[in-house]
Amino acid sequence: MLQAPAGLSARTTRFLRGMLGDMASRSTVDMPTVSLPDGTKVPALGQGTWTMGEKKARASVEGAALALGFEHGMTLVDTAEMYGDGGAEEVVARAIAGRRERVFVVSKVYPHNAGRKSAIAACERSLKRLGTDRLDLYLLHWRGRVPLGETIEAFERLRADGKIVRWGVSNFDTADMRELMTLPDGQHCAANQVLYHLAERGIEWELLPWMRERGIPLMAYSPLGQGALLRKRNLTSIAKHLGVTPAQVALRWVMRSPDVIAIPESANPEHVRANRDAVSLVLDQAALDSIDAAFPPPARSTPLAVI
Ligand SMILES: NC(=O)c1ccc[n+]([C@@H]2O[C@H](COP(=O)([O-])OP(=O)(O)OC[C@H]3O[C@@H](n4cnc5c(N)ncnc54)[C@H](OP(=O)(O)O)[C@@H]3O)[C@@H](O)[C@H]2O)c1
């Protein structure tokens, strides 16, 4: 990891960090990719949008942060009809304008909109807000009362009509995934998006190995623990030892497996650059061992944690 030399003024250090950050981003370490079941490769590091589009005055800052991330290779964006009541999808629309073909767009349908007809109408509303003619991945945000088979039917119809390229689920635990696989076309599920970060490792017990065996990638949401994780003393000391930031350790750790996509959210350009730079961090066995000691893997089965 590139670092500014010690003993400089805070201003000079900030300046150098910015320069070094830009150099690192433009440099050497390519964005790792994750393969979807159909063979499509997507960046292992994407961008989230949960709190975007809530305030009109922030929309241009948020859109610019996403666009910066796209330019640095974080060309997968995760949004949902829920976020900002559609406002996040409108922010994404600004950011993908002129570069739609280079960005992998993920959105999600509310469980109460996931019926045979309602999912189609919800998807069409999302497409309109996003200013695009298709979603690359459409997820059921979480399980609700609508029978899963109905949602799959709607997703398959949307796929046949070219409005989505593929579909998946979110917040599905192993039992939900097992049930999904028994339903007609259930095996077409392309991803499951769940909570996963250093302090929430429960999925390593069963869900992650189960998905791995079947070649279904995992999208890790809140990979920075919504920011709170970054203040934990045992993480800050590991980061200090490695000469990087807590966010960079947290992200690189989530991305250590070739089938996990991390989708941190940031509206701050410095954070976006730093997140991109996390890719250059090498976590060797000693670093992984100290992380395991500070944030132990699960010792038993636990229900899927959700936000
Ligand atoms: N499927 C689901 O049910 C579900 C649930 C939750 C989230 N998600 C998705 O996952 C995405 C990410 O999760 P999240 O937004 O909950 O949390 P997160 O990405 O873990 O954390 C976001 C927070 O971290 C801060 N941050 C980002 N980069 C940073 C850096 N380098 N240094 C310091 N702080 C940094 C951000 O502030 P700044 O803006 O100031 O950088 C923001 O406050 C969401 O946006 C959403 O797309 C999905």
Side-chain angles (χ1 to χ4, degrees):
M1 192 69 199
L2 295 168
Q3 276 201 292
L8 299 173
S9 73
R11 196 158 165 243
T12 312
T13 304
R14 265 202 309 278
F15 172 75
L16 280 176
R17 280 222 178 103
M19 296 260 299
L20 292 171
D22 274 349
M23 280 162 55
S25 304
R26 277 197 300 269
S27 76
T28 53
V29 180
D30 287 341
M31 174 62 70
T33 56
V34 168
S35 292
L36 300 181
D38 63 11
T40 303
K41 288 188 185 339
V42 297
L45 183 60
Q47 302 184 84
T49 63
W50 186 7
T51 66
M52 295 189 180
E54 288 175 358
K55 294 191 184 121
K56 283 231 165 1
R58 296 263 309 150
S60 64
V61 169
E62 294 163 349
L66 290 176
L68 178 71
F70 295 151
E71 290 312 310
H72 284 73
M74 295 155 70
T75 52
L76 178 151
V77 65
D78 176 73
T79 190
E81 61 171 337
M82 181 181 111
Y83 302 162
D85 265 338
E89 291 180 323
E90 289 168 2
V91 170
V92 172
R94 281 172 178 236
I96 60 175
R99 50 168 81 80
R100 172 67 186 93
E101 296 311 314
R102 287 194 285 132
V103 180
F104 188 94
V105 179
V106 184
S107 193
K108 311 186 205 76
V109 61
Y110 267 125
H112 62 259
N113 281 343
R116 199 173 280 114
K117 285 191 180 154
S118 55
I120 290 171
C123 181
E124 283 167 353
R125 289 193 297 272
S126 285
L127 290 174
K128 200 163 174 205
R129 285 190 291 266
L130 284 159
T132 186
D133 60 353
R134 63 171 202 291
L135 295 172
D136 296 294
L137 177 64
Y138 198 32
L139 305 178
L140 172 60
H141 208 148
W142 64 90
R143 251 191 113 160
R145 293 205 191 124
V146 172
L148 269 183
E150 246 195 68
T151 306
I152 298 175
E153 256 184 64
F155 282 171
E156 289 293 324
R157 162 62 43 213
L158 286 165
R159 206 157 72 93
D161 292 346
K163 291 176 182 163
I164 66 172
V165 182
R166 51 188 81 69
W167 62 265
V169 294
S170 176
N171 295 302
F172 269 42
D173 208 342
T174 320
D176 303 306
M177 291 302 288
R178 282 208 176 94
E179 185 181 336
L180 186 69
M181 293 300 128
T182 66
L183 299 171
D185 296 322
Q187 307 80 351
H188 292 171
C189 173
N192 182 16
Q193 185 181 115
V194 297
L195 179 66
Y196 185 44
H197 59 73
L198 279 169
E200 283 293 356
R201 299 183 59 171
I203 62 166
E204 290 173 28
W205 187 262
E206 189 179 16
L207 180 62
L208 189 52
W210 187 94
M211 289 176 56
R212 192 161 283 155
E213 261 173 44
R214 285 154 188 84
I216 303 173
L218 185 120
M219 296 180 77
Y221 75 67
S222 307
L224 304 172
Q226 302 194 287
L229 171 71
L230 308 179
R231 293 184 287 278
K232 286 195 184 285
R233 192 187 295 245
N234 37 11
L235 177 56
T236 53
S237 64
I238 291 170
K240 194 168 172 203
H241 179 73
L242 294 171
V244 296
T245 68
Q248 289 172 323
V249 175
L251 286 178
R252 194 68 191 88
W253 178 85
V254 162
M255 289 187 284
R256 73 199 183 289
S257 313
D259 49 5
V260 177
I261 302 158
I263 48 168
E265 171 172 338
S266 180
N268 174 330
E270 267 185 44
H271 289 169
V272 171
R273 286 195 188 92
N275 292 348
R276 169 57 172 95
D277 287 350
V279 163
S280 353
L281 172 63
V282 177
L283 291 177
D284 61 15
Q285 196 52 51
L288 291 171
D289 289 346
S290 59
I291 289 172
D292 279 349
F295 300 95
R300 66 186 69 81
S301 172
T302 46
L304 178 66
V306 294
I307 286 186

